Amino acid sequence: MTLKDRVKLYATRAAIKGALRVLPKISDERWLSLVKGRVYRLEKKEERDFLENLLINIKGAVDRMSPKVREKVVMNLINNAMIQGQPKRLAFAQKYGIRVPNLLVLSPTMRCHLKCYGCYAWQYSKKDDLPYDVCNRIIDEANDIGLYFFVITGGEPFFWENLFDFLERHNDSFFQIYTNGQLIDEDVAKKLAELGNAVPCISVEGFEKETEERRGKGAWAKVMRAMDLLKEYGVLFGYSATATRYNNELIVSDEFVDLFVDKGCFIGWYFNYVPIGREPNLDLMPTPQQRDYRRRRILEIRRTKNIIVADFWNDGPLVNGCMAGGKNYLHINANGDVEPCVFVHFAVDNIKEKSLIEVLTSDFFMAFRKRQPYTENHLRPCCIIDNPNVLREIVAETGAYPTHDGAETVVTCLAKQLDEYAEEYKEIADKAWEEEYVPQEEEEKVG
């Protein structure tokens, strides 16, 4: 790093630290100007709008954060992940010809204390966990190339005995944790407030009825209590909802979103059920019409609600299509298998045997990158349900292995049904793309 770069980074860090002290009092415009090098370097309007909305919501949440959460959000998430990591990321890109992903998803354990229908996490034991030293090496290697934002999933992360030691050891990184929320008591909320570098996102299926049908009696009350405690102790948190054919409309309703805004949720994540796992069921998938309805509602929620919402399948325009294969992110499961996506259960490499750089530059991951985006219509980003031929081609081309029993069904016995779904959704998505996104792109080119 040159002296000029060092001075620039130091000045940026100092400016953000100064802003931290007065953040609630400064204007949104002033706040954005401090990070505009990151925000306005984005070319697409929807990307800029989303990131600006995120930053403004962070600013608006400052007053309810604990002191340590406030510090870590600004210094780890904004300063380290978005700004200070840039020289390392640039050096990696120049050396390898590919960009560093924005985040890494890690499943250190598949263990869980619940026995939800359709889930087999409770069958795993501690011997199935990813070794702790490997988990630490992954984060260290990611930091070395400028990656400071991580997602922890599982299994149930709060069932992992090493979680708090892990968060403390990597206190210059920022983490989002997907959790069922059942183990978040007062001691856990207090510890998260003291550490400051983790945002729990609690899974719900809908309201009390829908959540307890899957997670068991009493689960809803524990979710509500967990959120109350996190809010009380100043921890940022959110909710996570998987859309099925039966709850798709419910989880984007005003009543649903307003409840979680009132509970203090900072972010809401939406996932589309896809037929993966040991007992895939296409009948649970939202129909193409339902998926488009949810897409339109997500856009409306962003405009009208005081919360950040993101839809893993419908927000392709924000990330230029598919994120997999290290383009924007990757997943390392509890066995160490490195998957291109949390939902693509195929791998070629295992992190116990390879470095993170070796994985990112592998032929398997490059097979995804060289095909991305799979179509000009970024409303159809997915290689599982939108462009299923792509996944079949890559698996055949690279000899990728399924990472658990039954994972291969998406490229074998379910192939015909997924092709039919993709064709039906294509008609809807192509019409929406032509009407809503193409005119915007043309306008930006003229501008």
Side-chain angles (χ1 to χ4, degrees):
M1 188 187 303
T2 66
L3 177 60
K4 182 179 179 181
D5 289 334
R6 290 179 183 276
V7 171
K8 183 178 179 180
L9 290 177
Y10 178 82
T12 301
R13 188 180 182 92
I16 291 179
K17 279 188 173 181
L20 178 60
R21 293 190 291 269
V22 296
L23 197 54
K25 300 178 182 178
I26 65 177
S27 68
D28 291 347
E29 291 74 18
R30 175 59 178 157
W31 168 230
L32 291 178
S33 72
L34 293 171
V35 288
K36 68 179 181 180
R38 169 64 177 167
V39 175
Y40 295 107
R41 194 154 44 233
L42 298 172
E43 295 180 359
K44 298 176 67 175
K45 182 179 185 298
E46 60 264 26
E47 294 174 347
R48 296 194 302 271
D49 289 348
F50 181 84
L51 186 52
E52 288 186 4
N53 195 23
L54 171 64
L55 292 166
I56 289 171
N57 271 273
I58 288 174
K59 173 179 171 290
V62 162
D63 281 340
R64 62 178 189 265
M65 298 179 196
S66 74
K68 186 58 72 170
V69 170
R70 188 181 305 125
E71 174 190 334
K72 294 300 182 181
V73 165
V74 175
M75 297 312 302
N76 293 13
L77 181 60
I78 297 174
N79 184 60
N80 292 354
M82 293 183 180
I83 300 172
Q84 303 283 22
Q86 286 300 320
K88 295 179 183 178
R89 298 163 74 88
L90 180 60
F92 178 91
Q94 290 173 338
K95 182 174 182 178
Y96 295 100
I98 57 175
R99 56 177 286 182
V100 175
N102 294 325
L103 64 101
L104 184 152
V105 182
L106 179 66
S107 295
T109 183
M110 281 303 296
R111 290 180 289 145
C112 185
H113 58 297
L114 296 184
K115 295 183 179 181
C116 303
Y117 69 78
C119 181
Y120 293 80
W122 61 273
Q123 294 181 342
Y124 289 83
S125 63
K126 190 172 182 178
K127 66 180 177 59
D128 300 308
D129 287 0
L130 190 62
Y132 187 47
D133 63 329
V134 176
C135 294
N136 288 322
R137 175 172 65 82
I138 291 167
I139 305 302
D140 291 341
E141 290 183 5
N143 289 167
D144 287 343
I145 59 174
L147 177 53
Y148 290 90
F149 181 56
F150 305 93
V151 174
I152 304 178
T153 185
E156 171 50 51
F158 285 96
F159 204 60
W160 185 42
E161 295 87 347
N162 297 310
L163 179 61
F164 291 121
D165 288 339
F166 185 69
L167 296 176
E168 188 168 8
R169 185 185 187 281
H170 302 287
N171 63 5
D172 57 349
S173 294
F174 201 81
F175 298 85
Q176 179 177 283
I177 303 173
Y178 285 116
T179 171
N180 59 39
Q182 306 298 292
L183 300 178
I184 299 178
D185 57 16
E186 188 162 5
D187 288 341
V188 169
K190 185 177 180 181
K191 184 66 174 177
L192 289 170
E194 292 170 350
L195 289 169
N197 63 337
V199 174
C201 289
I202 302 177
S203 298
V204 291
E205 313 299 327
F207 293 110
E208 181 174 8
K209 174 180 177 292
E210 295 78 18
T211 298
E212 297 199 346
E213 280 178 353
R214 176 132 200 260
R215 302 183 183 277
K217 188 172 179 58
W220 179 256
K222 289 183 179 179
V223 168
M224 295 294 100
R225 176 61 175 157
M227 289 185 174
D228 289 341
L229 288 168
L230 293 169
K231 183 177 181 180
E232 177 183 345
Y233 280 92
V235 179
L236 280 185
F237 65 96
Y239 67 86
S240 169
T242 297
T244 70
R245 193 163 300 186
Y246 305 102
N247 72 349
N248 185 80
E249 289 73 29
L250 175 65
I251 59 177
V252 290
S253 66
D254 285 334
E255 183 182 10
F256 178 87
V257 177
D258 288 345
L259 169 66
F260 290 105
V261 170
D262 290 343
K263 295 299 287 187
C265 285
F266 171 75
I267 192 167
W269 281 101
Y270 289 86
F271 299 90
N272 200 87
Y273 173 84
V274 291
I276 58 173
R278 288 179 171 82
E279 293 183 357
N281 183 356
L282 268 77
D283 291 335
L284 285 176
M285 284 181 65
T287 66
Q289 293 78 13
Q290 285 182 307
R291 178 175 166 187
D292 187 60
Y293 173 82
R294 192 177 76 248
R295 177 189 70 83
R296 288 182 280 110
R297 277 292 298 156
I298 290 293
L299 295 175
E300 185 175 354
I301 290 167
R302 283 197 191 126
R303 291 192 298 267
T304 61
K305 309 290 184 183
N306 186 29
I307 187 172
I308 297 293
V309 290
D311 189 308
F312 199 81
W313 266 262
N314 285 327
D315 274 329
L318 284 176
V319 292
N320 297 308
C322 175
M323 297 171 59
K327 172 194 165 189
N328 288 94
Y329 94 120
L330 65 153
H331 175 231
I332 301 176
N333 70 19
N335 188 51
D337 297 313
V338 186
E339 300 170 336
C341 170
V342 171
F343 302 94
V344 176
H345 295 174
F346 291 89
V348 168
D349 296 314
N350 191 289
I351 200 67
K352 298 173 189 175
E353 304 160 355
K354 299 282 186 73
S355 70
L356 183 59
I357 289 179
E358 287 177 303
V359 168
L360 289 172
T361 56
S362 69
D363 290 342
F364 183 48
F365 272 30
M366 291 306 296
F368 286 90
R369 289 184 182 228
K370 74 181 183 182
R371 290 170 168 85
Q372 292 164 338
Y374 312 130
T375 170
E376 292 182 358
N377 182 350
H378 297 165
L379 293 176
R380 298 192 290 115
C382 182
C383 66
I384 306 173
I385 63 173
D386 297 327
N387 306 277
N389 60 300
V390 171
L391 182 57
R392 294 195 291 266
E393 289 173 2
I394 293 175
V395 169
E397 174 184 311
T398 62
Y401 58 85
T403 54
H404 62 79
D405 293 340
E408 70 282 355
T409 58
V410 295
V411 298
T412 56
C413 60
L414 297 179
K416 183 176 184 295
Q417 292 164 284
L418 290 173
D419 284 343
E420 292 171 350
Y421 171 92
E423 281 301 312
E424 185 179 354
Y425 181 64
K426 180 179 184 297
E427 292 185 18
I428 296 172
D430 283 356
K431 183 174 184 293
W433 182 258
E434 289 294 328
E435 293 178 352
E436 300 175 35
Y437 290 90
V438 172
Q440 177 180 300
E441 289 186 347
E442 293 301 323
E443 184 179 330
E444 289 179 355
K445 288 178 182 178
V446 172

